[in-house]
């Protein structure tokens, strides 16, 4: 299963030239399940743990501000990079993509949405795999 996810993340990283890192991450503990880094020095696994706290905090804040809304994505922009996080509330995982600021943001979002649909097909198997590992 993890090999399938890794192949999925490899494919995602190759779709856009400005992608620097991608990962599938557990929301609960920030564990990076599958990841690709296209630049040395990017600590995708370590960053994933911090990004999980952002996903959890975002869910709580949106619940307080607009309880009937669901976040499409979380965008963090710096002077050189875009960090895009997609998480659907019914999934225990999220997708994280880091791109250069020159990358077309709309295309990155559409691509993530497409891959998110593919990830949801693996979701039940992944949940079961993680349940068995924690027992």
């Amino acid at each position: 299963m993890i090999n399938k996810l890794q192949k999925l993340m490899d494919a995602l990283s190759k779709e856009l030239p400005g992608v620097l890192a991608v990962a599938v991450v557990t929301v609960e503990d920030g564990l990076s399940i599958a990841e690709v880094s296209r630049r040395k020095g990017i600590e995708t696994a370590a960053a994933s743990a911090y990004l999980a706290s952002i996903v959890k905090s975002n869910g709580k804040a949106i619940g307080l501000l607009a309880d009937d809304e669901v976040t499409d994505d979380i965008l963090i922009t710096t002077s050189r990079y875009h960090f895009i996080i997609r998480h659907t509330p019914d999934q225990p995982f999220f997708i994280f993509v880091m791109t250069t600021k020159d990358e077309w943001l709309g295309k990155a979002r559409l691509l993530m949405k497409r891959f998110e649909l593919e990830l949801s097909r693996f979701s039940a198997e992944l949940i079961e795999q993680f349940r068995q590992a924690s027992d």
Side-chain angles (χ1 to χ4, degrees):
M1 176 55 55
I2 301 300
N3 289 337
K4 289 179 185 177
L5 277 178
Q6 188 63 47
K7 287 180 183 177
L8 191 64
M9 292 300 97
D10 285 335
L12 175 68
S13 73
K14 292 174 183 171
E15 290 275 343
L16 296 169
V19 170
L20 300 175
V22 298
V24 174
V25 182
T26 62
V27 174
E28 190 58 36
D29 59 9
L31 176 67
S32 180
I33 300 170
E35 64 184 63
V36 173
S37 177
R38 294 178 68 192
R39 180 186 285 174
K40 287 186 179 192
I42 295 177
E43 298 288 337
T44 308
S48 295
Y50 292 107
L51 294 173
S53 67
I54 291 171
V55 170
K56 288 189 266 187
S57 296
N58 177 73
K60 290 176 184 176
I62 294 300
L64 293 171
L65 297 170
D67 62 353
D68 61 341
E69 288 295 316
V70 176
T71 302
D72 288 332
D73 60 41
I74 300 168
L75 173 64
I76 302 167
T77 303
T78 69
S79 61
R80 294 175 30 204
Y81 306 111
H82 290 301
F83 302 88
I84 310 163
I85 301 167
R86 284 198 58 87
H87 173 248
T88 54
D90 62 330
Q91 299 293 320
F93 312 100
F94 64 88
I95 300 174
F96 156 65
V97 172
M98 176 184 179
T99 71
T100 62
K101 191 122 181 216
D102 296 330
E103 188 56 70
W104 182 29
L105 190 56
K107 187 173 181 181
R109 283 177 157 156
L110 288 171
L111 186 64
M112 288 179 75
K113 199 173 202 176
R114 189 181 88 211
F115 277 85
E116 182 180 59
L117 291 173
E118 292 182 44
L119 175 64
S120 67
R121 287 189 271 157
F122 298 122
S123 183
E125 290 178 56
L126 283 170
I127 292 168
E128 183 59 32
Q129 200 170 22
F130 275 92
R131 279 195 189 122
Q132 289 174 358
S134 65
D135 289 344

